[in-house]
Amino acid sequence: MNCLECGEKIIGRSDKKFCNDACRNAYNNKQNKDSTNLMRNINNKLRKNYRILREINIDGKTKIPKSKMDGLGFDFDFFTNLKVYKNGSEYKFIYDYGYKLLDDDFVLIVKNQA
Ligand SMILES: [Zn+2]
């Protein structure tokens, strides 16, 4: 077995994954940093999407061209929850703002149905 951090061969117990505490700490710190960065990137995307929806949706319900949202940098892959209503319509929510893609390349934005 080789150390997961430095790759050195480990002497001693066969179930050890690291040669010493320093290697274990270095390895764990790296793992945590990766997941922290990933979460931060996703949170930033959600925050940006939310800000865009909030700026667009002034009257509680707004219909705008999808191209306009693309132009503002809205990322349709990121949302906080999906809601499917009995009539089959599907809304993607980012916190309290939801949107639905319409057939004619428009987007319907609503507020507060999460
Ligand atoms: Zn090591």
Side-chain angles (χ1 to χ4, degrees):
M1 181 76 194
N2 292 334
C3 174
L4 289 176
E5 173 61 15
C6 70
E8 288 290 313
K9 192 145 184 63
I10 298 174
I11 302 154
R13 282 190 2 236
S14 61
D15 60 336
K16 278 176 77 178
K17 292 178 185 161
F18 303 96
C19 46
N20 56 37
D21 286 345
C23 278
R24 177 187 298 114
N25 289 339
Y27 183 85
N28 287 337
N29 286 343
K30 250 182 260 169
Q31 302 290 102
N32 290 338
K33 195 166 168 235
D34 286 347
S35 54
T36 303
N37 283 341
L38 176 71
M39 284 158 67
R40 186 183 299 131
N41 289 340
I42 292 173
N43 286 340
N44 283 342
K45 285 187 178 165
L46 288 173
R47 196 175 297 125
K48 182 172 183 184
N49 278 354
Y50 186 74
R51 201 174 57 231
I52 292 168
L53 289 181
R54 199 178 51 196
E55 281 166 12
I56 294 171
N57 186 24
I58 300 161
D59 299 326
K61 198 170 190 180
T62 310
K63 190 179 163 184
I64 78 158
K66 185 174 180 289
S67 59
K68 195 170 175 190
M69 289 176 73
D70 288 330
L72 291 167
F74 191 88
D75 191 331
F76 287 89
D77 289 337
F78 291 87
F79 49 90
T80 56
N81 61 303
L82 177 70
K83 190 150 183 169
V84 182
Y85 291 90
K86 281 207 179 91
N87 64 9
S89 65
E90 215 173 72
Y91 282 85
K92 287 169 180 165
F93 275 88
I94 299 162
Y95 308 111
D96 55 338
Y97 281 96
Y99 65 90
K100 179 171 82 158
L101 297 172
L102 303 173
D103 292 334
D104 50 2
D105 266 339
F106 271 76
V107 181
L108 182 67
I109 301 171
V110 297
K111 187 173 188 290
N112 245 346
Q113 294 179 37

Coordinates of all heavy atoms in Angstrom, one line a residue, residues 19-107:
C19 N 1.4 7.8 5.3 CA 2.6 7.4 6.0 C 2.7 8.2 7.3 O 3.3 7.7 8.3 CB 3.8 7.7 5.2 SG 3.9 9.2 4.3
N20 N 2.0 9.3 7.5 CA 2.0 10.0 8.8 C 0.8 11.0 8.8 O 0.1 11.2 7.9 CB 3.3 10.7 9.0 CG 3.7 11.7 7.9 OD1 2.8 12.3 7.3 ND2 4.9 11.7 7.5
D21 N 0.7 11.7 10.0 CA -0.4 12.6 10.1 C -0.3 13.8 9.2 O -1.3 14.3 8.7 CB -0.4 13.2 11.6 CG -0.9 12.1 12.6 OD1 -1.5 11.1 12.1 OD2 -0.6 12.2 13.8
A22 N 0.9 14.2 8.9 CA 1.1 15.4 8.0 C 0.5 15.1 6.6 O -0.2 15.9 6.0 CB 2.5 15.8 7.8
C23 N 0.7 13.9 6.1 CA 0.2 13.4 4.8 C -1.3 13.3 4.9 O -2.0 13.7 4.0 CB 0.8 12.1 4.4 SG 2.4 12.3 3.6
R24 N -1.8 12.8 6.0 CA -3.3 12.6 6.1 C -3.9 14.0 6.1 O -4.9 14.2 5.4 CB -3.6 11.9 7.4 CG -5.2 11.8 7.6 CD -5.7 11.2 8.9 NE -5.2 9.9 9.0 CZ -4.3 9.4 9.9 NH1 -3.9 10.3 10.8 NH2 -3.9 8.2 10.0
N25 N -3.4 14.9 6.9 CA -4.0 16.3 7.0 C -3.9 17.0 5.6 O -4.9 17.6 5.2 CB -3.2 17.1 8.0 CG -3.6 16.7 9.4 OD1 -4.6 16.0 9.6 ND2 -2.7 17.0 10.3
A26 N -2.8 16.9 4.9 CA -2.6 17.5 3.6 C -3.7 17.0 2.7 O -4.3 17.7 1.9 CB -1.2 17.3 3.1
Y27 N -3.8 15.6 2.7 CA -4.8 15.0 1.8 C -6.2 15.5 2.1 O -7.0 15.9 1.2 CB -4.7 13.5 1.9 CG -5.6 12.7 1.0 CD1 -5.2 12.4 -0.3 CD2 -6.8 12.2 1.4 CE1 -6.0 11.7 -1.1 CE2 -7.6 11.5 0.6 CZ -7.2 11.2 -0.7 OH -8.0 10.5 -1.5
N28 N -6.6 15.4 3.4 CA -8.0 15.8 3.7 C -8.2 17.3 3.4 O -9.3 17.6 3.0 CB -8.2 15.5 5.2 CG -8.3 14.0 5.5 OD1 -8.7 13.3 4.6 ND2 -8.1 13.6 6.7
N29 N -7.2 18.1 3.7 CA -7.4 19.5 3.3 C -7.7 19.8 1.9 O -8.6 20.6 1.5 CB -6.2 20.4 3.7 CG -6.1 20.5 5.2 OD1 -7.1 20.3 6.0 ND2 -4.9 20.9 5.7
K30 N -7.0 19.0 1.0 CA -7.2 19.1 -0.4 C -8.7 18.7 -0.8 O -9.3 19.3 -1.6 CB -6.2 18.3 -1.2 CG -5.2 19.1 -1.9 CD -4.2 18.2 -2.7 CE -2.9 18.0 -1.9 NZ -2.1 17.0 -2.5
Q31 N -9.1 17.6 -0.2 CA -10.4 17.1 -0.5 C -11.5 18.1 -0.1 O -12.4 18.4 -0.8 CB -10.7 15.8 0.3 CG -9.8 14.7 0.0 CD -10.0 14.1 -1.4 OE1 -9.2 14.4 -2.3 NE2 -11.0 13.3 -1.6
N32 N -11.3 18.7 1.1 CA -12.3 19.7 1.6 C -12.3 20.9 0.7 O -13.3 21.5 0.4 CB -12.0 20.1 3.0 CG -12.3 18.9 4.0 OD1 -13.0 18.1 3.7 ND2 -11.6 19.0 5.1
K33 N -11.1 21.3 0.3 CA -11.0 22.5 -0.6 C -11.7 22.3 -1.9 O -12.4 23.2 -2.4 CB -9.5 22.8 -0.8 CG -9.3 24.2 -1.4 CD -7.8 24.5 -1.3 CE -7.5 25.8 -2.1 NZ -6.5 25.6 -3.1
D34 N -11.6 21.1 -2.5 CA -12.3 20.8 -3.7 C -13.8 21.0 -3.6 O -14.5 21.6 -4.4 CB -11.9 19.4 -4.2 CG -10.5 19.4 -4.8 OD1 -9.9 20.5 -5.0 OD2 -10.0 18.3 -5.1
S35 N -14.3 20.3 -2.5 CA -15.8 20.4 -2.4 C -16.2 21.8 -2.0 O -17.3 22.2 -2.4 CB -16.2 19.3 -1.3 OG -15.6 19.5 -0.1
T36 N -15.4 22.5 -1.2 CA -15.8 23.9 -0.9 C -15.8 24.7 -2.2 O -16.7 25.5 -2.4 CB -14.7 24.5 0.1 OG1 -14.7 23.7 1.2 CG2 -15.1 25.9 0.5
N37 N -14.8 24.6 -3.0 CA -14.8 25.3 -4.3 C -16.0 25.0 -5.2 O -16.6 25.9 -5.8 CB -13.5 25.0 -5.1 CG -12.4 25.8 -4.5 OD1 -12.5 26.8 -3.8 ND2 -11.1 25.3 -4.8
L38 N -16.3 23.7 -5.2 CA -17.5 23.3 -6.1 C -18.7 23.9 -5.5 O -19.5 24.4 -6.3 CB -17.6 21.7 -6.0 CG -18.8 21.1 -6.7 CD1 -18.6 21.2 -8.2 CD2 -19.0 19.7 -6.3
M39 N -18.9 23.9 -4.2 CA -20.1 24.4 -3.6 C -20.2 25.9 -3.8 O -21.2 26.5 -4.1 CB -20.2 24.1 -2.2 CG -20.6 22.6 -2.0 SD -20.2 21.9 -0.4 CE -21.2 22.8 0.7
R40 N -19.0 26.6 -3.7 CA -19.0 28.0 -3.9 C -19.4 28.4 -5.4 O -20.2 29.3 -5.6 CB -17.6 28.5 -3.6 CG -17.5 30.1 -3.6 CD -16.1 30.6 -3.3 NE -15.7 30.2 -2.0 CZ -14.5 29.6 -1.8 NH1 -13.7 29.4 -2.8 NH2 -14.2 29.3 -0.6
N41 N -18.9 27.6 -6.3 CA -19.2 27.9 -7.7 C -20.7 27.8 -8.0 O -21.3 28.6 -8.7 CB -18.4 27.0 -8.7 CG -17.0 27.3 -8.7 OD1 -16.6 28.4 -8.3 ND2 -16.1 26.4 -9.1
I42 N -21.3 26.7 -7.4 CA -22.7 26.5 -7.6 C -23.5 27.5 -6.9 O -24.5 28.1 -7.5 CB -23.1 25.0 -7.2 CG1 -22.5 24.0 -8.1 CG2 -24.6 24.9 -7.1 CD1 -22.6 22.6 -7.6
N43 N -23.1 27.9 -5.7 CA -23.8 28.9 -5.0 C -23.8 30.3 -5.8 O -24.8 31.0 -5.8 CB -23.3 29.1 -3.6 CG -23.7 28.0 -2.7 OD1 -24.6 27.3 -3.0 ND2 -22.9 27.8 -1.6
N44 N -22.6 30.5 -6.4 CA -22.5 31.8 -7.2 C -23.5 31.8 -8.4 O -24.1 32.8 -8.7 CB -21.1 32.0 -7.7 CG -20.2 32.4 -6.6 OD1 -20.6 33.0 -5.5 ND2 -18.9 32.3 -6.7
K45 N -23.6 30.6 -9.0 CA -24.5 30.5 -10.1 C -25.9 30.7 -9.7 O -26.7 31.4 -10.4 CB -24.3 29.1 -10.8 CG -23.1 29.1 -11.7 CD -23.0 27.8 -12.5 CE -21.7 27.9 -13.3 NZ -21.3 26.7 -13.9
L46 N -26.3 30.1 -8.6 CA -27.7 30.2 -8.1 C -27.9 31.7 -7.7 O -29.0 32.2 -8.0 CB -27.9 29.3 -6.8 CG -27.9 27.8 -7.1 CD1 -28.0 27.1 -5.8 CD2 -29.2 27.5 -7.9
R47 N -27.0 32.3 -7.1 CA -27.1 33.7 -6.7 C -27.3 34.6 -7.9 O -28.2 35.5 -7.9 CB -25.9 34.1 -5.8 CG -26.2 35.4 -5.0 CD -25.0 35.7 -4.1 NE -24.7 34.6 -3.1 CZ -23.6 34.0 -3.0 NH1 -22.5 34.2 -3.7 NH2 -23.5 33.1 -2.1
K48 N -26.5 34.3 -8.9 CA -26.6 35.1 -10.1 C -28.0 34.9 -10.8 O -28.7 35.9 -11.2 CB -25.5 34.8 -11.1 CG -25.6 35.6 -12.4 CD -24.4 35.4 -13.2 CE -24.4 36.3 -14.5 NZ -23.3 36.0 -15.4
N49 N -28.4 33.7 -10.9 CA -29.7 33.4 -11.5 C -30.8 34.1 -10.7 O -31.8 34.6 -11.2 CB -30.0 31.8 -11.5 CG -29.3 31.1 -12.6 OD1 -28.8 31.8 -13.5 ND2 -29.4 29.8 -12.6
Y50 N -30.7 34.0 -9.4 CA -31.7 34.6 -8.5 C -31.8 36.1 -8.7 O -32.9 36.7 -8.8 CB -31.4 34.3 -7.0 CG -32.5 34.7 -6.1 CD1 -33.7 34.1 -6.0 CD2 -32.3 35.9 -5.3 CE1 -34.7 34.5 -5.1 CE2 -33.3 36.3 -4.4 CZ -34.5 35.6 -4.4 OH -35.5 36.0 -3.5
R51 N -30.6 36.7 -8.8 CA -30.6 38.2 -9.0 C -31.2 38.5 -10.3 O -32.0 39.5 -10.4 CB -29.1 38.6 -9.0 CG -29.0 40.1 -8.7 CD -27.5 40.4 -8.5 NE -26.7 40.1 -9.7 CZ -25.6 39.4 -9.7 NH1 -25.1 38.9 -8.6 NH2 -25.0 39.1 -10.8
I52 N -31.0 37.8 -11.4 CA -31.6 38.0 -12.7 C -33.1 37.9 -12.6 O -33.8 38.8 -13.1 CB -31.0 37.1 -13.8 CG1 -29.5 37.4 -14.0 CG2 -31.8 37.2 -15.1 CD1 -28.8 36.4 -14.8
L53 N -33.6 36.8 -12.0 CA -35.0 36.7 -11.9 C -35.7 37.8 -11.1 O -36.7 38.3 -11.5 CB -35.4 35.3 -11.2 CG -35.1 34.0 -12.0 CD1 -35.5 32.8 -11.2 CD2 -35.8 34.0 -13.3
R54 N -35.0 38.2 -10.1 CA -35.6 39.2 -9.2 C -35.6 40.6 -10.0 O -36.6 41.3 -9.8 CB -34.7 39.4 -8.0 CG -35.4 40.1 -6.8 CD -34.6 40.2 -5.6 NE -33.2 40.7 -5.9 CZ -32.2 40.6 -5.2 NH1 -32.2 40.0 -4.0 NH2 -31.0 41.1 -5.5
E55 N -34.6 40.8 -10.8 CA -34.6 42.1 -11.6 C -35.7 42.1 -12.7 O -36.3 43.1 -13.0 CB -33.2 42.3 -12.2 CG -32.2 42.9 -11.1 CD -30.8 42.8 -11.6 OE1 -30.6 42.5 -12.8 OE2 -29.9 43.0 -10.7
I56 N -35.9 40.9 -13.3 CA -36.8 40.8 -14.4 C -38.3 40.8 -13.9 O -39.1 41.5 -14.4 CB -36.6 39.5 -15.2 CG1 -35.3 39.5 -15.9 CG2 -37.7 39.3 -16.2 CD1 -34.9 38.1 -16.5
N57 N -38.5 40.1 -12.8 CA -39.9 39.8 -12.4 C -40.4 40.9 -11.4 O -40.4 40.7 -10.2 CB -40.0 38.5 -11.8 CG -41.4 38.1 -11.4 OD1 -42.3 38.6 -12.1 ND2 -41.6 37.2 -10.5
I58 N -40.8 42.0 -12.0 CA -41.3 43.1 -11.2 C -42.7 43.0 -10.7 O -43.0 43.3 -9.6 CB -41.1 44.4 -11.9 CG1 -39.6 44.6 -12.3 CG2 -41.5 45.6 -11.1 CD1 -39.3 45.5 -13.4
D59 N -43.6 42.4 -11.6 CA -45.0 42.4 -11.3 C -45.5 41.1 -10.7 O -46.7 40.9 -10.6 CB -45.8 42.7 -12.5 CG -45.4 44.1 -13.0 OD1 -45.1 45.0 -12.2 OD2 -45.4 44.3 -14.2
G60 N -44.7 40.2 -10.3 CA -45.2 38.9 -9.8 C -45.3 37.8 -10.9 O -45.3 36.6 -10.6
K61 N -45.5 38.2 -12.1 CA -45.6 37.2 -13.2 C -45.2 37.9 -14.5 O -45.8 38.9 -14.9 CB -47.1 36.8 -13.3 CG -47.3 35.5 -14.0 CD -48.7 35.0 -13.8 CE -48.8 33.6 -14.4 NZ -50.2 33.0 -14.3
T62 N -44.2 37.4 -15.1 CA -43.6 38.1 -16.3 C -43.3 37.1 -17.4 O -42.8 36.0 -17.1 CB -42.3 38.8 -15.9 OG1 -42.5 39.6 -14.7 CG2 -41.8 39.7 -17.0
K63 N -43.5 37.5 -18.6 CA -43.2 36.6 -19.7 C -42.1 37.3 -20.5 O -42.3 38.4 -21.0 CB -44.4 36.3 -20.6 CG -44.3 35.3 -21.6 CD -45.6 35.1 -22.4 CE -45.3 34.4 -23.7 NZ -46.5 34.3 -24.5
I64 N -41.0 36.7 -20.7 CA -39.9 37.3 -21.5 C -39.3 36.3 -22.4 O -39.3 35.1 -22.2 CB -38.8 38.0 -20.6 CG1 -37.8 37.0 -20.0 CG2 -39.4 38.8 -19.5 CD1 -36.5 37.6 -19.7
P65 N -38.6 36.7 -23.5 CA -38.0 35.8 -24.4 C -36.8 35.1 -23.7 O -36.1 35.7 -23.0 CB -37.4 36.7 -25.6 CG -38.1 38.0 -25.4 CD -38.5 38.1 -23.9
K66 N -36.6 33.8 -24.0 CA -35.5 33.1 -23.4 C -34.2 33.7 -23.8 O -33.3 33.7 -23.0 CB -35.6 31.6 -23.9 CG -34.6 30.7 -23.3 CD -34.8 29.3 -23.7 CE -33.8 28.4 -23.0 NZ -32.4 28.5 -23.6
S67 N -34.1 34.2 -25.1 CA -32.9 34.8 -25.5 C -32.4 36.0 -24.7 O -31.2 36.2 -24.5 CB -33.0 35.2 -27.0 OG -34.0 36.2 -27.1
K68 N -33.4 36.7 -24.1 CA -33.1 37.8 -23.3 C -32.4 37.3 -22.0 O -31.5 37.9 -21.5 CB -34.3 38.6 -23.0 CG -34.0 40.0 -22.4 CD -35.3 40.9 -22.4 CE -34.9 42.2 -21.7 NZ -36.1 43.0 -21.4
M69 N -33.0 36.2 -21.4 CA -32.4 35.6 -20.2 C -31.0 35.1 -20.5 O -30.1 35.2 -19.7 CB -33.3 34.6 -19.6 CG -34.5 35.2 -19.0 SD -35.7 34.0 -18.4 CE -34.8 33.4 -16.9
D70 N -30.8 34.5 -21.7 CA -29.5 34.0 -22.0 C -28.5 35.2 -22.1 O -27.4 35.1 -21.6 CB -29.5 33.3 -23.4 CG -30.2 31.9 -23.3 OD1 -30.1 31.3 -22.3 OD2 -30.8 31.5 -24.3
G71 N -29.0 36.3 -22.7 CA -28.2 37.5 -22.8 C -27.7 38.0 -21.4 O -26.7 38.6 -21.3
L72 N -28.6 37.9 -20.4 CA -28.2 38.3 -19.1 C -27.3 37.4 -18.4 O -26.8 37.7 -17.3 CB -29.5 38.5 -18.3 CG -30.4 39.7 -18.7 CD1 -31.8 39.6 -18.0 CD2 -29.8 41.0 -18.4
G73 N -27.1 36.2 -18.9 CA -26.2 35.3 -18.3 C -26.9 34.3 -17.4 O -26.3 33.6 -16.6
F74 N -28.2 34.1 -17.6 CA -28.9 33.2 -16.8 C -28.5 31.8 -17.2 O -28.4 31.4 -18.4 CB -30.4 33.4 -17.0 CG -31.3 32.6 -16.1 CD1 -31.6 33.2 -14.8 CD2 -31.8 31.3 -16.4 CE1 -32.4 32.5 -13.9 CE2 -32.5 30.6 -15.5 CZ -32.9 31.2 -14.2
D75 N -28.3 30.9 -16.2 CA -27.9 29.5 -16.5 C -29.0 28.6 -16.1 O -29.3 28.3 -15.0 CB -26.6 29.2 -15.7 CG -26.0 27.9 -16.1 OD1 -26.7 27.0 -16.6 OD2 -24.8 27.7 -16.0
F76 N -29.7 28.0 -17.2 CA -30.9 27.2 -17.0 C -30.6 25.9 -16.3 O -31.5 25.2 -16.0 CB -31.6 27.0 -18.3 CG -32.3 28.3 -18.8 CD1 -31.6 29.2 -19.6 CD2 -33.6 28.5 -18.4 CE1 -32.3 30.4 -20.0 CE2 -34.2 29.7 -18.8 CZ -33.6 30.6 -19.6
D77 N -29.3 25.5 -16.2 CA -29.0 24.2 -15.5 C -29.0 24.3 -14.0 O -29.0 23.3 -13.4 CB -27.6 23.8 -16.0 CG -27.5 23.4 -17.4 OD1 -28.6 23.0 -17.9 OD2 -26.5 23.4 -18.0
F78 N -29.1 25.5 -13.5 CA -29.0 25.6 -12.0 C -30.3 26.2 -11.4 O -30.7 27.3 -11.7 CB -27.8 26.5 -11.6 CG -26.5 25.7 -11.9 CD1 -25.9 25.8 -13.2 CD2 -25.9 24.9 -11.0 CE1 -24.8 25.1 -13.5 CE2 -24.7 24.2 -11.3 CZ -24.2 24.3 -12.5
F79 N -30.9 25.4 -10.5 CA -32.1 25.8 -9.8 C -32.1 25.1 -8.5 O -31.4 24.1 -8.3 CB -33.3 25.6 -10.6 CG -33.4 24.2 -11.2 CD1 -34.1 23.2 -10.5 CD2 -32.9 23.9 -12.4 CE1 -34.2 21.9 -11.0 CE2 -32.9 22.7 -13.0 CZ -33.6 21.7 -12.3
T80 N -33.0 25.5 -7.6 CA -33.0 24.9 -6.2 C -34.0 23.8 -6.1 O -33.9 22.8 -5.3 CB -33.2 25.9 -5.1 OG1 -34.5 26.6 -5.4 CG2 -32.1 26.9 -5.0
N81 N -35.2 23.9 -6.8 CA -36.1 22.8 -6.8 C -37.1 22.8 -8.0 O -37.2 23.8 -8.6 CB -36.9 22.8 -5.5 CG -37.7 24.0 -5.2 OD1 -37.2 25.1 -5.2 ND2 -39.0 23.9 -5.1
L82 N -37.6 21.6 -8.2 CA -38.5 21.4 -9.4 C -39.9 21.2 -8.9 O -40.0 20.4 -7.9 CB -38.0 20.2 -10.2 CG -38.8 19.8 -11.4 CD1 -38.6 20.8 -12.5 CD2 -38.3 18.5 -11.9
K83 N -40.8 21.9 -9.5 CA -42.2 21.6 -9.0 C -43.1 21.3 -10.2 O -43.1 22.0 -11.2 CB -42.7 22.9 -8.3 CG -44.0 22.6 -7.6 CD -44.2 23.5 -6.4 CE -45.5 23.2 -5.8 NZ -45.7 23.8 -4.4
V84 N -43.7 20.1 -10.2 CA -44.6 19.7 -11.3 C -46.0 19.8 -10.8 O -46.4 19.1 -9.8 CB -44.3 18.3 -11.7 CG1 -45.2 17.9 -12.9 CG2 -42.8 18.1 -12.1
Y85 N -46.8 20.6 -11.4 CA -48.2 20.7 -11.0 C -49.1 19.7 -11.6 O -48.7 19.0 -12.6 CB -48.7 22.1 -11.4 CG -48.0 23.2 -10.5 CD1 -46.8 23.8 -11.0 CD2 -48.5 23.6 -9.3 CE1 -46.2 24.7 -10.2 CE2 -47.9 24.5 -8.5 CZ -46.7 25.1 -9.0 OH -46.0 26.0 -8.2
K86 N -50.3 19.5 -11.1 CA -51.2 18.5 -11.5 C -51.5 18.5 -13.0 O -51.7 17.5 -13.6 CB -52.5 18.6 -10.7 CG -52.4 18.0 -9.3 CD -53.8 17.5 -8.8 CE -53.7 16.9 -7.4 NZ -54.0 17.9 -6.4
N87 N -51.5 19.8 -13.5 CA -51.8 19.9 -14.9 C -50.6 19.6 -15.8 O -50.7 19.8 -17.0 CB -52.4 21.3 -15.2 CG -51.3 22.4 -14.9 OD1 -50.2 22.1 -14.7 ND2 -51.8 23.6 -15.0
G88 N -49.5 19.2 -15.2 CA -48.4 18.8 -15.9 C -47.3 19.9 -16.2 O -46.3 19.6 -16.7
S89 N -47.7 21.1 -15.8 CA -46.7 22.1 -16.0 C -45.6 22.1 -15.0 O -45.8 21.8 -13.8 CB -47.4 23.5 -16.1 OG -47.9 23.8 -14.8
E90 N -44.4 22.4 -15.5 CA -43.2 22.1 -14.7 C -42.5 23.5 -14.4 O -42.1 24.2 -15.4 CB -42.3 21.3 -15.6 CG -41.5 20.3 -14.8 CD -40.7 19.4 -15.7 OE1 -39.8 19.8 -16.4 OE2 -41.1 18.2 -15.8
Y91 N -42.3 23.8 -13.2 CA -41.6 25.0 -12.8 C -40.3 24.7 -12.1 O -40.3 23.8 -11.3 CB -42.5 25.9 -11.9 CG -43.6 26.7 -12.6 CD1 -44.8 26.0 -12.8 CD2 -43.4 28.0 -13.0 CE1 -45.8 26.7 -13.5 CE2 -44.4 28.7 -13.6 CZ -45.6 28.1 -13.9 OH -46.6 28.7 -14.5
K92 N -39.3 25.4 -12.5 CA -38.0 25.3 -11.8 C -37.9 26.5 -10.9 O -38.1 27.7 -11.4 CB -36.9 25.2 -12.8 CG -36.8 23.9 -13.5 CD -35.9 23.8 -14.6 CE -35.9 22.4 -15.2 NZ -35.3 22.4 -16.6
F93 N -37.6 26.3 -9.7 CA -37.5 27.4 -8.7 C -36.1 27.6 -8.3 O -35.3 26.7 -8.2 CB -38.4 27.0 -7.5 CG -39.8 27.4 -7.6 CD1 -40.7 26.5 -8.2 CD2 -40.3 28.7 -7.3 CE1 -42.0 26.9 -8.4 CE2 -41.6 29.0 -7.5 CZ -42.5 28.1 -8.0
I94 N -35.8 28.9 -8.1 CA -34.6 29.3 -7.4 C -35.1 30.1 -6.2 O -35.5 31.2 -6.3 CB -33.7 30.2 -8.4 CG1 -33.3 29.3 -9.6 CG2 -32.5 30.6 -7.6 CD1 -32.9 30.1 -10.7
Y95 N -35.1 29.4 -5.1 CA -35.7 29.9 -3.9 C -37.2 30.3 -4.2 O -37.9 29.4 -4.5 CB -34.9 31.1 -3.3 CG -33.4 30.7 -3.1 CD1 -32.4 31.3 -3.9 CD2 -33.1 29.7 -2.2 CE1 -31.1 30.9 -3.8 CE2 -31.7 29.3 -2.1 CZ -30.8 29.9 -2.9 OH -29.5 29.5 -2.7
D96 N -37.6 31.5 -4.0 CA -39.0 31.8 -4.2 C -39.4 32.3 -5.6 O -40.5 32.7 -5.9 CB -39.4 32.9 -3.1 CG -38.6 34.1 -3.2 OD1 -37.5 34.1 -3.7 OD2 -39.1 35.2 -2.7
Y97 N -38.4 32.3 -6.5 CA -38.8 32.6 -7.9 C -38.8 31.4 -8.8 O -37.8 30.5 -8.7 CB -37.8 33.6 -8.5 CG -38.0 35.0 -8.1 CD1 -37.3 35.6 -7.0 CD2 -38.9 35.8 -8.7 CE1 -37.5 36.9 -6.6 CE2 -39.2 37.1 -8.3 CZ -38.4 37.7 -7.2 OH -38.7 38.9 -6.8
G98 N -39.8 31.2 -9.6 CA -39.9 30.1 -10.4 C -40.0 30.5 -11.9 O -40.4 31.6 -12.2
Y99 N -39.6 29.6 -12.8 CA -39.8 29.9 -14.2 C -40.3 28.6 -14.9 O -40.0 27.5 -14.5 CB -38.6 30.5 -14.8 CG -37.4 29.5 -14.8 CD1 -37.2 28.7 -15.9 CD2 -36.5 29.5 -13.8 CE1 -36.1 27.8 -16.0 CE2 -35.4 28.7 -13.8 CZ -35.2 27.8 -14.9 OH -34.1 27.0 -14.9
K100 N -40.9 28.8 -16.0 CA -41.4 27.7 -16.9 C -41.0 28.1 -18.3 O -41.2 29.2 -18.7 CB -42.9 27.6 -16.7 CG -43.5 26.5 -17.6 CD -44.9 26.2 -17.2 CE -45.8 27.2 -17.9 NZ -47.2 26.6 -18.1
L101 N -40.5 27.1 -19.0 CA -40.2 27.3 -20.4 C -41.4 27.1 -21.2 O -42.1 26.1 -21.0 CB -39.1 26.3 -20.9 CG -37.7 26.4 -20.2 CD1 -36.8 25.3 -20.6 CD2 -37.1 27.8 -20.5
L102 N -41.8 28.1 -22.0 CA -43.0 28.0 -22.8 C -42.6 27.5 -24.3 O -41.4 27.6 -24.6 CB -43.6 29.4 -22.9 CG -44.0 30.0 -21.5 CD1 -44.5 31.4 -21.7 CD2 -45.0 29.1 -20.8
D103 N -43.6 27.1 -25.0 CA -43.3 26.5 -26.3 C -42.7 27.5 -27.3 O -42.0 27.1 -28.2 CB -44.7 26.0 -26.9 CG -45.2 24.8 -26.1 OD1 -44.3 24.1 -25.5 OD2 -46.4 24.6 -26.1
D104 N -43.0 28.8 -27.2 CA -42.6 29.7 -28.2 C -41.3 30.4 -27.9 O -41.1 31.6 -28.2 CB -43.7 30.8 -28.4 CG -44.2 31.4 -27.0 OD1 -43.6 31.0 -26.0 OD2 -45.1 32.2 -27.0
D105 N -40.4 29.7 -27.1 CA -39.1 30.3 -26.8 C -39.2 31.5 -25.8 O -38.4 32.3 -25.8 CB -38.3 30.6 -28.0 CG -37.4 29.5 -28.4 OD1 -37.1 28.6 -27.5 OD2 -36.9 29.4 -29.5
F106 N -40.3 31.5 -25.1 CA -40.5 32.5 -24.0 C -40.4 31.8 -22.7 O -40.5 30.5 -22.6 CB -41.8 33.1 -24.1 CG -41.8 34.4 -25.0 CD1 -41.8 34.2 -26.4 CD2 -41.8 35.6 -24.5 CE1 -41.8 35.3 -27.2 CE2 -41.8 36.8 -25.3 CZ -41.8 36.6 -26.6
V107 N -40.1 32.5 -21.7 CA -40.0 32.0 -20.3 C -41.1 32.8 -19.5 O -41.1 34.0 -19.5 CB -38.6 32.2 -19.7 CG1 -38.5 31.6 -18.3 CG2 -37.6 31.6 -20.6

